[in-house]
Amino acid sequence: MSERVKVTIDGISVEVEQGTTILNAARLIGGEIVPPAMCYYSKLEGSGGKCRTCLVKVSKGSEKDPRPMPKLVASCRTTVMEGMEVQNITSPEVKEARKGVVELLLINHPLDCPVCDQAGECHLQDLSYEHGSAATRYEFDRRSFERRDIGDKIQLHMTRCILCYRCVYVADQITDRREHGVLGRGDAAEISTYIEKAIENDFSGNVIDVCPVGALTDRTFRFKNRVWFTKPVDAHCNCDKCSGKVTLWYKGEDVIRVTARKDEYGEVESFICNDCRFEKKKTSDWVIEGPRKISKHSVISANHYEQLAPPPVIRKNPALKEANKEQFERVIRY
Amino acid sequence: MESLSNRKKVLEQKPMTFGEKIYLPSIAKGLAITFKHIFKKRETIFYPEQERPVSENWRGLHSLKRDEQGRERCTACGLCALACPAEAITMTAAERKKGEEGLYREEKYAAVYEINMLRCIFCGLCEEACPKEAIYLDGPFLEADYLRKDFIFGKDKLVEEPLKS
């Protein structure tokens, strides 16, 4: 029954199924026209619509009703229509609005990136680097909270939270009771477990992965190292609870952190259980698949020279080829 | 080939005259120059005792700074080590305990902070990268030593003297 509709995003046409959101249609095209998303998470039902970073301009509503939409719309919540034309990065209005959204997200966010363990893989960092302004106009005290522990493995820094609700949806999805939610309203809203109760669930550690900022972090990784000094390696294990597909973060010989595998939008491929995440921190627990590919724009790939691009003289001269044999072999193995 | 700059001098090799062959006038001339320099102002200085003034943007040995309350500014964020083109900097972070608020400015601090001075090229990128204004290359020259391990400077050599109250 699914009808295919044609939608044009920044001049690029794509055919998608009816009921797809603009954001997902843009992700089908890929590249830099994909609106950033802080709260939308494709694996979590009902997420999205909170952060407004994915705002786009609909310059033509549909084939039947070609009027543009009066305001910018959140692309994660707006479904496509036949003949819809969307502007994202081609619209200065969208860019301006996004800058405003980033400024509002940063109003209460402490700039403690040098201390924060998420730095280097933080979506808010990327977003504000790309869309935000360098200075703040906010003159008042930022709201601050005490650091709290949720269980013995997860730590909550409410100060850093941007209230994207992703972790709430994770908690809703993995349990049938409501264990984790948002208390308070407006400026007083905060993520919390009721009466500081630990989430007793095998998949509760996934709130760390879904958190776009450093609000929920791994206590076993706290201050261990900066992410860009660690080496990500794909590995798997036979786990009866989860898929067992993870990324191990090595520092030297030690696994200092285990996370699920995140794709280019920072979304995990599959949720992993707490045993895999917190307990199995030895190389012998895992079957190594190979180094994880990290975007070259990420700070994590800084100073990692995986691809050898030898000058022609080395490629042609047999003696030099022999001398650099080890490096060539390493490139082939990767 | 024709010189492009026209400044090339072509030297002619003539056979030496008798005066040149006995060398004595040349020796006397050379010694005269040497003796003349005894009475001139000395161009060198006695380095360890005396030091030349350095320029404003001089980059010498690193020092880890303290803030106005005498707390260590470094928070072990690792940006200096990331910026370092010579990979001379390593550090280990630790969490500040209760009661150490007077020692460290931030929640996290560098428990170990080492700079390998043999690797360091004194480019100053760590200084530029530091978000906490904790590291400055305002020290003197690197002094000579005998062992390689003595060139790895730890916090004992890098951190500024505590404030005197």
Side-chain angles (χ1 to χ4, degrees), chain B residues 51-68:
Chain B
E51 272 178 39
R52 284 197 196 282
V54 293
S55 80
E56 253 174 53
N57 54 1
W58 157 258
R59 297 192 295 266
L61 285 179
H62 313 65
S63 67
L64 288 172
K65 296 290 173 196
R66 291 175 186 273
D67 66 358
E68 53 282 352

Side-chain angles (χ1 to χ4, degrees), chain A residues 104-142:
Chain A
L104 285 171
L105 283 178
L106 287 174
I107 270 189
N108 276 316
H109 194 80
L111 294 176
D112 63 347
C113 303
V115 176
C116 180
D117 277 327
Q118 188 88 359
E121 49 181 18
C122 173
H123 293 258
L124 191 59
Q125 241 182 355
D126 298 345
L127 188 76
S128 47
Y129 186 74
E130 209 171 325
H131 301 284
S133 60
T136 177
R137 291 184 286 170
Y138 192 64
E139 290 173 349
F140 308 99
D141 282 341
R142 287 154 198 263

Side-chain angles (χ1 to χ4, degrees), chain A residues 129-179:
Chain A
Y129 186 74
E130 209 171 325
H131 301 284
S133 60
T136 177
R137 291 184 286 170
Y138 192 64
E139 290 173 349
F140 308 99
D141 282 341
R142 287 154 198 263
R143 60 179 202 157
S144 58
F145 296 86
E146 278 289 301
R147 191 179 75 232
R148 273 215 307 250
D149 297 335
I150 298 181
D152 56 342
K153 299 283 170 31
I154 308 169
Q155 201 152 49
L156 168 66
H157 297 78
M158 193 53 222
T159 321
R160 294 178 190 149
C161 178
I162 56 164
L163 293 170
C164 70
Y165 284 64
R166 278 183 185 176
C167 53
V168 180
Y169 288 113
V170 171
D172 281 356
Q173 207 156 303
I174 59 176
T175 53
D176 42 7
R177 285 171 302 139
R178 202 157 153 86
E179 290 192 330

Side-chain angles (χ1 to χ4, degrees), chain A residues 173-218:
Chain A
Q173 207 156 303
I174 59 176
T175 53
D176 42 7
R177 285 171 302 139
R178 202 157 153 86
E179 290 192 330
H180 180 89
V182 172
L183 303 178
R185 277 168 181 255
D187 199 38
E190 61 175 299
I191 299 283
S192 183
T193 51
Y194 296 124
I195 331 166
E196 305 215 358
K197 194 163 74 74
I199 313 176
E200 298 292 340
N201 189 290
D202 281 336
F203 285 84
S204 63
N206 287 301
V207 295
I208 298 166
D209 277 348
V210 300
C211 186
V213 292
L216 288 158
T217 47
D218 191 339

Side-chain angles (χ1 to χ4, degrees), chain A residues 3-290:
Chain A
E3 253 178 83
R4 310 280 291 178
V5 293
K6 200 175 149 199
V7 54
T8 310
I9 300 167
D10 281 343
I12 306 167
S13 299
V14 66
E15 269 201 11
V16 292
E17 288 192 8
Q18 201 151 27
T20 317
T21 57
I22 298 173
L23 184 74
N24 278 331
R27 283 187 179 183
L28 283 178
I29 300 171
E32 56 182 11
I33 63 140
V34 183
M38 297 297 288
C39 64
Y40 174 74
Y41 207 79
S42 59
K43 274 82 183 175
L44 296 173
E45 250 174 74
S47 65
K50 308 249 177 345
C51 68
R52 322 305 288 182
T53 48
C54 61
L55 288 178
V56 290
K57 189 181 177 181
V58 178
S59 51
K60 182 183 167 193
S62 67
E63 209 58 67
K64 285 178 196 150
D65 183 11
R67 287 176 302 168
M69 287 195 186
K71 285 187 193 171
L72 302 181
V73 294
S75 60
C76 62
R77 279 301 175 100
T78 313
T79 50
V80 295
M81 307 274 250
E82 174 63 34
M84 186 185 258
E85 278 174 25
V86 180
Q87 289 182 342
N88 178 21
I89 53 169
T90 49
S91 159
E93 202 184 327
V94 169
K95 284 188 169 171
E96 190 59 35
R98 206 164 278 161
K99 201 173 164 184
V101 168
V102 175
E103 195 174 1
L104 285 171
L105 283 178
L106 287 174
I107 270 189
N108 276 316
H109 194 80
L111 294 176
D112 63 347
C113 303
V115 176
C116 180
D117 277 327
Q118 188 88 359
E121 49 181 18
C122 173
H123 293 258
L124 191 59
Q125 241 182 355
D126 298 345
L127 188 76
S128 47
Y129 186 74
E130 209 171 325
H131 301 284
S133 60
T136 177
R137 291 184 286 170
Y138 192 64
E139 290 173 349
F140 308 99
D141 282 341
R142 287 154 198 263
R143 60 179 202 157
S144 58
F145 296 86
E146 278 289 301
R147 191 179 75 232
R148 273 215 307 250
D149 297 335
I150 298 181
D152 56 342
K153 299 283 170 31
I154 308 169
Q155 201 152 49
L156 168 66
H157 297 78
M158 193 53 222
T159 321
R160 294 178 190 149
C161 178
I162 56 164
L163 293 170
C164 70
Y165 284 64
R166 278 183 185 176
C167 53
V168 180
Y169 288 113
V170 171
D172 281 356
Q173 207 156 303
I174 59 176
T175 53
D176 42 7
R177 285 171 302 139
R178 202 157 153 86
E179 290 192 330
H180 180 89
V182 172
L183 303 178
R185 277 168 181 255
D187 199 38
E190 61 175 299
I191 299 283
S192 183
T193 51
Y194 296 124
I195 331 166
E196 305 215 358
K197 194 163 74 74
I199 313 176
E200 298 292 340
N201 189 290
D202 281 336
F203 285 84
S204 63
N206 287 301
V207 295
I208 298 166
D209 277 348
V210 300
C211 186
V213 292
L216 288 158
T217 47
D218 191 339
R219 264 187 87 188
T220 58
F221 180 61
R222 183 168 163 80
F223 298 164
K224 279 278 176 65
N225 220 305
R226 310 298 285 173
V227 281
W228 54 83
F229 295 133
T230 57
K231 191 179 161 202
V233 170
D234 277 348
H236 66 265
C237 73
N238 286 325
C239 180
D240 41 3
K241 288 183 204 149
C242 64
S243 65
K245 288 181 179 169
V246 299
T247 306
L248 307 178
W249 299 78
Y250 273 96
K251 181 72 195 168
E253 295 292 303
D254 309 318
V255 178
I256 59 171
R257 185 169 68 142
V258 183
T259 65
R261 294 180 193 172
K262 292 185 185 177
D263 63 9
E264 57 186 315
Y265 306 114
E267 296 182 358
V268 299
E269 283 170 21
S270 57
F271 292 128
I272 60 167
C273 65
N274 283 3
D275 272 358
C276 288
R277 185 185 302 274
F278 299 123
E279 308 298 339
K280 298 181 183 170
K281 295 215 173 172
K282 282 202 295 282
T283 309
S284 53
D285 296 333
W286 300 96
V287 183
I288 306 288
E289 288 168 24

Side-chain angles (χ1 to χ4, degrees), chain A residues 111-112 114-115 147 157 160 222-223 226 228-229 299 302-303, chain B residues 75-79 81-82 87 93 95 106-108 131-132:
Chain A
L111 294 176
D112 63 347
V115 176
R147 191 179 75 232
H157 297 78
R160 294 178 190 149
R222 183 168 163 80
F223 298 164
R226 310 298 285 173
W228 54 83
F229 295 133
V299 68
N303 296 347
Chain B
T75 178
C77 71
L79 288 181
L82 185 74
E87 306 216 341
E95 190 172 352
E106 307 278 340
E107 208 180 336
K108 188 173 77 162
K132 296 285 173 190

